[in-house]
Amino acid sequence: MFPTEKIQSSSMETILFYCAVLGILLFIGVVLRVKVKFFKKFFISASLIAGTLGLLLGQYGLGVLPAEMTESWGALPGALITVVFAPMLMGVSIPNPKKMGRLIVPHLLFGYMGECIQIALPFIITGLVLIPVWNVNEMFGSIVEIGWSGGHGTAGGMVDVYNRLDWSDGGPLGLTSATVGLLVGIIVGMVIINYGVRKGYTSVIKNVQELNVNQSEDILPRAKQPSGSAVTMNKDVVESLAFHGSLISIAILIGWVLQKLLGGLVPGLPLFPMAMVGGLVVQLVISKTKFAEAIDTGCLHRIQGLALEFLIMAAIASIKIPVVIEYAFPLSILMVVMTLVMVWYFFWAGPRLFGKDWFEHAIVNYGSLTGVTAVALMLLRTVDPEMKTEAGTGYALRAPFISPIIGGGLLTSILPVMAHNYGSLNVGVVFLILLFVLYILARRLGFWTRTT
């Protein structure tokens, strides 16, 4: 047992101690990720391993870690998600959609229509079936899009949002949904690929013997280690990392002001999407000054990455297992139904939106809709190892038009608020209508083609 009783729970020393334990778990997670083939094969990240280890050692497992520690970890994701989102629009150059329209638009349509399905159907099922039968919360349907497209980072960050909306069960369920989504992305994605190769849908890989998941080196040799960030400020002035941290701090402060101003109009509005807007304000202002040259997106990504790794660990390690067990039946219904629907959507929308090389374009988006970017790229590299198609380029170019809004963006963050204020069925119907509008738009613009 850790000697936490000798440390005052309110002291900074306690916080430092708890974070140190998280750091130890992360190191163990890294070692397991490198050494255990299973984790590497299924692209299980070190932070997910570390969080699961913390859960097993916590109050719902072996009881080695005290409840006070794991409960304190549960408060971290709500703060760390703000650090992840604040710099999202800093130093970003938006590609010209007119020049790349024929490549970007099908990816955008596939992504937005898929998101509408992930929002509309779970909310409608919740309103028509799960609430009458199991009396679940109106926000129950939000855990699919938050967990699947948003991933563990977004699900962990939404824990605080659910708590403030008086549904503390939402956090553990969202994280469970994210775990299921990751498995659906990897396992079902590989089943789809094997089926697609056998049916001749793929453009590059022509038989199953050619399938080979490209496993890159875990520990990069020094000769292959890329530069993670640039030093943009003279160290006599300030450490470059600290300078970028100050920009994130300004963005968070602006977001806090916006949250207070809009809180009356949108009750329960979370801080982290407003911090992202604050980051955009910082970008617009600083781009007019000489300090624009001092912004390095690589440095911002390092800060985001650090916050995200600890966010995922803390969120997983603090999952309340009894809550997941309590909701086992309604949760299983949503997970099974959405798995079947996402497979159907892949084969329905893929060939109609993308045409040439449709399988490669659709599989990378399927991976993003069910798991995380790493899963999306893993599936793409499996069917297009040398990136001979334009699927990877289209997927990358769509990111600035997708990430800030859905799949963990602004719209994702307010889904629980919308369900809380207007009811799950109403929210589901609105997004079903939006799905239909996007479908009509795709046909009118000539991006939806018939297949034989």
Side-chain angles (χ1 to χ4, degrees), residues 375-396:
V375 173
L377 296 177
M378 179 272 288
L379 294 176
L380 177 59
R381 290 193 186 104
T382 303
V383 293
D384 187 9
E386 299 178 9
M387 295 295 180
K388 292 181 179 179
T389 69
E390 293 184 316
T393 302
Y395 178 73

Side-chain angles (χ1 to χ4, degrees), residues 183-196:
L183 296 175
V184 170
I186 296 171
I187 298 174
V188 179
M190 290 304 298
V191 172
I192 291 174
I193 287 174
N194 277 271
Y195 176 78

Side-chain angles (χ1 to χ4, degrees), residues 39-329:
F39 295 135
K40 184 173 183 177
K41 180 180 180 180
F42 289 99
F43 286 77
I44 307 300
S45 68
S47 56
L48 183 55
I49 298 170
T52 304
L53 185 59
L55 183 63
L56 293 174
L57 295 174
Q59 59 180 318
Y60 301 114
L62 300 177
V64 177
L65 303 177
E68 181 187 17
M69 179 181 290
T70 55
E71 289 171 2
S72 297
W73 286 343
L76 287 176
L80 292 176
I81 192 65
T82 305
V83 178
V84 173
F85 268 72
M88 192 170 286
L89 298 178
M90 292 185 193
V92 175
S93 57
I94 304 297
N96 189 332
K98 292 183 179 180
K99 293 182 180 180
M100 304 298 295
R102 299 302 302 183
L103 182 59
I104 294 178
V105 173
H107 281 265
L108 292 177
L109 287 169
F110 191 97
Y112 277 106
M113 290 174 66
E115 293 283 349
C116 285
I117 291 174
Q118 280 193 4
I119 297 171
L121 191 55
F123 273 128
I124 290 174
I125 292 175
T126 297
L128 294 180
V129 179
L130 303 185
I131 290 178
V133 177
W134 283 283
N135 194 32
V136 300
N137 192 283
E138 294 282 355
M139 293 177 274
F140 189 83
S142 66
I143 65 174
V144 176
E145 200 271 347
I146 285 172
W148 286 31
S149 295
H152 284 91
T154 301
M158 292 297 290
V159 170
D160 188 54
V161 176
Y162 285 122
N163 288 340
R164 286 191 287 108
L165 293 172
D166 297 323
W167 190 46
S168 59
D169 294 347
L173 292 173
L175 288 162
T176 305
S177 171
T179 303
V180 174
L182 190 67
L183 296 175
V184 170
I186 296 171
I187 298 174
V188 179
M190 290 304 298
V191 172
I192 291 174
I193 287 174
N194 277 271
Y195 176 78
V197 172
R198 287 186 170 88
K199 295 291 290 185
Y201 295 146
T202 53
S203 299
V204 180
I205 302 296
K206 295 303 181 182
N207 60 75
V208 292
Q209 286 72 33
E210 296 179 57
L211 290 176
N212 179 31
V213 178
N214 181 24
Q215 294 283 5
S216 58
E217 298 171 284
D218 292 316
I219 302 177
L220 301 178
R222 291 195 181 277
K224 295 183 179 181
Q225 293 176 359
S227 175
S229 60
V231 178
T232 61
M233 298 289 293
N234 190 315
K235 291 187 177 180
D236 291 339
V237 178
V238 68
E239 168 60 44
S240 185
L241 192 68
F243 169 72
H244 288 81
S246 70
L247 298 180
I248 293 175
S249 299
I250 296 171
I252 293 174
L253 180 61
I254 294 173
W256 180 80
V257 172
L258 291 174
Q259 183 194 39
K260 297 303 178 184
L261 292 175
L262 298 175
L265 298 175
V266 187
L269 181 67
L271 174 59
F272 67 87
M274 294 299 96
M276 182 176 66
V277 177
L280 177 60
V281 174
V282 171
Q283 170 66 19
L284 293 174
V285 173
I286 208 168
S287 64
K288 306 297 183 182
T289 71
K290 65 179 182 180
F291 288 102
E293 296 183 7
I295 296 181
D296 174 52
T297 54
C299 194
L300 292 172
H301 291 162
R302 299 290 76 74
I303 297 174
Q304 285 178 300
L306 175 64
L308 187 59
E309 298 289 358
F310 275 82
L311 185 159
I312 293 172
M313 282 191 295
I316 297 296
S318 58
I319 289 179
K320 295 179 174 61
I321 298 299
V323 172
V324 179
I325 296 174
E326 180 184 352
Y327 288 88
F329 284 110

